[in-house]
Every structure is written in C-alpha cells, then in structure tokens.
Amino acid sequence: FFDRGRPVAPDATLAVMPGGRGDDFFKTLAGSRLLRRGAAWEKGLELLASGTPKPTDLGQVQWLGSVDRSSRVFINVASFGYPGLVVQRVHTHQQKSALTYLAQSFAGLLQYKPIAVEVKVDGSPFFSDLLFYGFVLNGSYNGGGMRWSTAAQLDDGYFHFVIGRSRGLVSTLLFAMRMWTGGWVGADGFKVTK
C-alpha cells in the first residue's frame, strides 16, 4: 500500500480478517474483543460479505536518529519505550508461540532502562519525565487484547496518547488490570489525551 511513505494505489481497499495471534486491529474494527476464535471468524466473514468500506486514519513515524531517516506507516498503534523493547524482543526471539509476547514482556521488565523523554502533542508540551510506556493510538488494542484507550477511533482524524512515567516493578504490575479496561484517565503517573 505504501512505498517510502507514499501511497502506491490511493484507491485501494483493505479487507481485514482475524488471523494473527492478537488480532488487535480487527478487534477495533469489530468493536469487541471477541475472545473466541470462531466468533472472530464469523464477524470477519460478515464484514467481508456485507460491510462497506470506510476511510481510516493512518500515522507516519519517521526515525530522525537513523542514517536513512526511514519512515513507516501505521494503522493501529505505535509504541515506544518499554513496549518497543518488548516488540523488539518478540521479533528477534527464535521460538514463536501464544506465550512469546507474555514471556518477553516479563523479560523486558528486567531489561528496560527508563529514559528521559519530552513529548509534545500538537506543538504543546505534554509529558516530560522518565518514560516507561508510550503509545500513539489510532486503534484501541495491541499486545493480544490490551486496551490502551476507550476513546480512540479509527476515523476521527485524531491520535490518542497514553504515556506513563517510570515506576517500580511492583507498581507497574499493579497497573496491569488497566491494560484490559483502558481505564488510564486519572491514573497516577500517566498522561492521557482526551
């Protein structure tokens, strides 16, 4: 669909079916977590048969620190900080299974070193602290059903941000339930756009 950040065929339509381990983008499209594989497939077939195409926002990330200043387009979620480390660990891990993401998440907790980050949203200061989580959201879910936003919509023209400062291991684990509900608003140490 894209070559060096530019559309190859602007009139192309993308149909999405659940087929991965997480199906996170499909969950946002379907408006539900759909825990059962069969129910997800039924919903996917229903959307293929009777759904209508709709425009979807896209994000573009450019790596300013890289030599080639390469960029990537994303449709669901872009993450940085600890989540970026987890994704890197998952992609370089030899054995892939349903537990790989979970195992690499725990291993990453021991490896990640918080970094000082300043984040601006629409040119205004938004976060300045030691970073743990950072998410730029078009969709709601990533990491196999973790919900980072209850407000993100694929076609509203906005990205939502959830950014969390570094905290101790126990405190981080205590926030785990919010990963399934998207209840970050008002959570200590987290900044969330509205």
Side-chain angles (χ1 to χ4, degrees), residues 113-136:
K113 302 286 187 262
I115 54 174
V117 170
E118 181 180 351
V119 177
K120 293 181 179 179
V121 175
D122 294 331
S124 298
F126 179 67
F127 177 89
S128 182
D129 206 333
L130 290 176
L131 174 82
F132 190 74
Y133 294 111
F135 295 93
V136 181

Side-chain angles (χ1 to χ4, degrees), residues 59-61 74 76-80 117-124 126-127 131 133-139 148-153 156-164 182 184-185 190-194:
Q60 185 173 15
V61 177
F74 71 94
N76 189 35
V77 175
S79 59
F80 53 99
V117 170
E118 181 180 351
V119 177
K120 293 181 179 179
V121 175
D122 294 331
S124 298
F126 179 67
F127 177 89
L131 174 82
Y133 294 111
F135 295 93
V136 181
L137 304 158
N138 190 35
W148 296 103
S149 174
T150 58
Q153 297 179 27
D156 64 355
Y158 296 98
F159 292 119
H160 295 260
F161 291 77
V162 175
I163 299 179
W184 299 103
V185 176
F190 285 84
K191 293 281 284 184
V192 181
T193 53
K194 298 189 165 102

Side-chain angles (χ1 to χ4, degrees), residues 83-97:
L85 174 63
V86 172
V87 169
Q88 180 184 34
R89 290 182 62 90
V90 167
H91 284 293
T92 58
H93 196 263
Q94 297 294 328
Q95 300 289 322
K96 301 279 193 296
S97 74

Side-chain angles (χ1 to χ4, degrees), residues 40-190:
W41 269 96
E42 287 173 19
K43 183 67 173 179
L45 291 172
E46 175 191 324
L47 291 173
L48 281 176
S50 60
T52 56
K54 68 176 190 173
T56 301
D57 301 328
L58 296 174
Q60 185 173 15
V61 177
Q62 186 172 21
W63 308 113
L64 298 178
S66 64
V67 175
D68 63 357
R69 298 175 71 87
S70 61
S71 67
R72 294 215 176 169
V73 175
F74 71 94
I75 195 169
N76 189 35
V77 175
S79 59
F80 53 99
Y82 164 73
L85 174 63
V86 172
V87 169
Q88 180 184 34
R89 290 182 62 90
V90 167
H91 284 293
T92 58
H93 196 263
Q94 297 294 328
Q95 300 289 322
K96 301 279 193 296
S97 74
L99 296 176
T100 301
Y101 192 91
L102 183 63
Q104 295 309 317
S105 295
F106 283 113
L109 281 173
L110 302 175
Q111 180 186 358
Y112 182 70
K113 302 286 187 262
I115 54 174
V117 170
E118 181 180 351
V119 177
K120 293 181 179 179
V121 175
D122 294 331
S124 298
F126 179 67
F127 177 89
S128 182
D129 206 333
L130 290 176
L131 174 82
F132 190 74
Y133 294 111
F135 295 93
V136 181
L137 304 158
N138 190 35
S140 298
Y141 303 98
N142 90 326
M146 287 183 265
R147 189 173 193 184
W148 296 103
S149 174
T150 58
Q153 297 179 27
L154 298 173
D155 60 353
D156 64 355
Y158 296 98
F159 292 119
H160 295 260
F161 291 77
V162 175
I163 299 179
R165 66 174 165 77
S166 181
R167 55 182 66 245
L169 179 61
V170 172
S171 182
T172 297
L173 293 174
L174 290 175
F175 276 90
M177 283 309 296
R178 292 179 191 259
M179 295 178 194
W180 298 105
T181 64
W184 299 103
V185 176
D188 180 42
F190 285 84

